[in-house]
Amino acid sequence: MPVIESEEHKALRAAVAALGNRYGRAYTTRTIAEGNPTELWSEAAELGYLGVNLPEEYGGGGGGIAELSIVLEELGAAGCPLLMLVVSPAICGTVIARFGTEDQKQQWLPALGNGTRIMAFGITEPDAGSNSHRITTTARRDPDTGDWLLTGRKVFVSGVDIADATLIVGRTEDTRTGRLKPCLFIVPRDTEGFQRRVIDMELNAVAKQFELVLDDVRLPADALVGGGTSHASGSGGEDAGLLQLFAGLNPERIMTAAFAVGLGRHALAKAVAYARERTVWNAPIGAHQAIAHPLAQAHIDLELARLMMQKAAHLYDSGDDVGAGEAANMAKYAAAEACVKAVDQAVHTLGGNGLTREFGLASLITAARVSRIAPVSREMILNYVSHQTLGLPKSY
């Protein structure tokens, strides 16, 4: 794994940063009030950034999560992160590219890459929390037609109102069996029985959160990702759901790390600029170590988190799913902690100004906390590392 970024990655980073800086935090603030960021999404698509991780034969850039994480990080550093980048091309695009049928790839990948279609992802349930084995959304076959019937509930699903379809995680085994046996289904937005309700969040974000109710949602057989039973290549649907699920969750963790690193960098840059100019006694406040050292520590923590994120992306893109799982969890943990500390220190550096709308830092306090909670809490990551990496016994 290269420790220093390639010239191609540096060029991509610079180009995306230029795009982000043309929009900036003011654009995000406006779109939170007015609606979804269609202009930035469309321009990012035109420049090839939305589909940079998708296969070239389906109109993508032929890169991987390493490239897509650069896109999200730099947009975040400019103050205008696109949350749906985590969901649509990273999770859904990756799952379909790796496991979808040829028809599913043709139907979805070019459109996800050029921004004309968006896909949401539904896994979290109100009574399951971090325990995916308690998922109760059930998929069963109609013996007469071969259709699938989905019944269940999902919560905290981002962007359902703007998504053309939602990739829903269900199960084909009854919950009482204790077997998860997940299956992933593509559910179009206007499917009968597929209901959505906006969750009233304190968090001010562009992408709204939704609760979904699936009431005997009828889907054709080809809505199952991969279609039918699994193949020797591991690309099938009904018996390959667990593999498909983690193929999407590892990119989600890596992209969340990118989101957090970018957000932390944005807050830190604001604080550094303020500390250079704000003079209270005879020198800028940044000359005082009580101000300078915490900002320096925040920068170091963000850089270290980025290195782990890059390692996780490299492992995932090289096909090492096991190694990527460990690294992706660590990257998400490190980036979330670094982001929260950077935002907190930035607000503290500005004092009262850090809580004003003029400087735009106060709203980042809640946003930074999200990276600690979603898509998996830091406590569950510590569980993962203690069990899987250190070999300690489970407590549950």
Side-chain angles (χ1 to χ4, degrees):
M1 170 191 161
V3 177
I4 305 300
E5 280 191 335
S6 66
E7 291 303 316
E8 290 80 4
H9 280 184
K10 289 179 182 178
L12 175 63
R13 190 177 290 281
V16 177
L19 171 66
N21 287 329
R22 284 198 283 108
Y23 285 86
R25 188 66 187 169
Y27 175 75
T28 298
T29 302
R30 176 171 63 83
T31 53
I32 288 173
E34 297 178 2
N36 295 298
T38 55
E39 298 98 329
L40 178 54
W41 186 268
S42 298
E43 186 166 357
E46 290 174 9
L47 294 170
Y49 300 150
L50 297 190
V52 70
N53 65 309
L54 300 178
E56 288 182 290
E57 59 265 39
Y58 299 101
I65 295 301
E67 287 75 21
L68 192 62
S69 65
I70 289 174
V71 173
L72 183 56
E73 181 192 340
E74 288 305 321
L75 290 177
C80 50
L82 294 174
L83 175 62
M84 292 306 289
L85 274 176
V86 180
V87 182
S88 194
I91 302 175
C92 302
T94 296
V95 168
I96 293 173
R98 286 188 61 177
F99 302 105
T101 64
E102 184 58 31
D103 285 345
Q104 289 167 347
K105 292 176 183 178
Q106 293 285 356
Q107 181 181 359
W108 286 101
L109 296 182
L112 293 180
N114 65 29
T116 56
R117 302 183 86 177
I118 296 174
M119 190 175 281
F121 179 67
I123 180 172
T124 304
E125 296 189 359
D127 297 321
S130 298
N131 186 358
S132 59
H133 289 274
R134 291 188 62 184
I135 285 176
T136 58
T137 297
T138 305
R140 68 186 192 279
R141 286 273 198 180
D142 184 328
D144 297 326
T145 65
D147 291 346
W148 287 99
L149 294 170
L150 265 64
T151 299
R153 291 173 63 202
K154 300 291 180 183
V155 290
F156 300 118
V157 184
S158 303
V160 179
D161 56 331
I162 60 172
D164 299 275
T166 302
L167 190 62
I168 293 288
V169 181
R171 66 189 303 153
T172 55
E173 293 283 348
D174 191 283
T175 0
R176 292 169 293 184
T177 67
R179 297 182 60 196
L180 175 57
K181 199 175 181 185
C183 284
L184 279 68
F185 294 89
I186 300 171
V187 183
R189 179 173 54 196
D190 297 325
T191 303
E192 186 177 354
F194 186 48
Q195 306 163 41
R196 65 178 186 263
R197 179 185 68 84
V198 177
I199 299 174
D200 190 14
M201 305 286 291
E202 287 280 359
L203 172 68
N204 287 322
V206 175
K208 297 181 179 66
Q209 300 297 308
F210 288 85
E211 176 185 4
L212 304 179
V213 175
L214 297 97
D215 184 10
D216 269 352
V217 171
R218 181 175 292 272
L219 299 169
D222 60 7
L224 176 67
V225 173
T229 56
S230 62
H231 309 299
S233 63
S235 62
E238 190 173 345
D239 295 330
L242 197 59
L243 184 61
Q244 294 173 3
L245 184 56
F246 283 99
L249 295 184
N250 285 335
E252 183 182 32
R253 285 155 172 72
I254 296 167
M255 291 294 287
T256 302
F259 182 94
V261 170
L263 196 67
R265 285 177 51 202
H266 176 73
L268 184 62
K270 290 238 180 188
V272 168
Y274 187 87
R276 285 194 185 116
E277 299 175 0
R278 173 70 167 163
T279 301
V280 178
W281 285 278
N282 296 323
I285 60 173
H288 304 297
Q289 292 177 351
I291 298 293
H293 285 185
L295 295 177
Q297 289 173 336
H299 174 72
I300 291 170
D301 289 344
L302 288 168
E303 287 294 306
L304 292 173
R306 181 201 276 168
L307 281 173
M308 180 54 77
M309 178 189 74
Q310 290 171 329
K311 176 182 178 180
H314 173 78
L315 290 172
Y316 184 83
D317 291 338
S318 66
D320 184 355
D321 286 337
V322 175
E326 178 186 69
N329 276 289
M330 291 181 178
K332 189 268 182 189
Y333 180 95
E337 296 302 300
C339 177
V340 168
K341 292 176 183 176
V343 169
D344 182 71
Q345 190 56 47
V347 172
H348 198 66
T349 299
L350 271 68
N353 283 330
L355 300 175
T356 64
R357 291 190 185 276
E358 177 186 357
F359 288 92
L361 286 175
S363 62
L364 302 184
I365 297 173
T366 309
R369 296 283 313 181
V370 171
S371 60
R372 271 184 171 172
I373 299 167
V376 59
S377 71
R378 56 180 178 173
E379 288 76 19
M380 288 305 296
I381 290 178
L382 292 173
N383 281 338
Y384 178 96
V385 173
S386 62
H387 304 153
Q388 302 295 323
T389 304
L390 302 182
L392 295 172
K394 277 190 174 183
S395 61
Y396 59 93

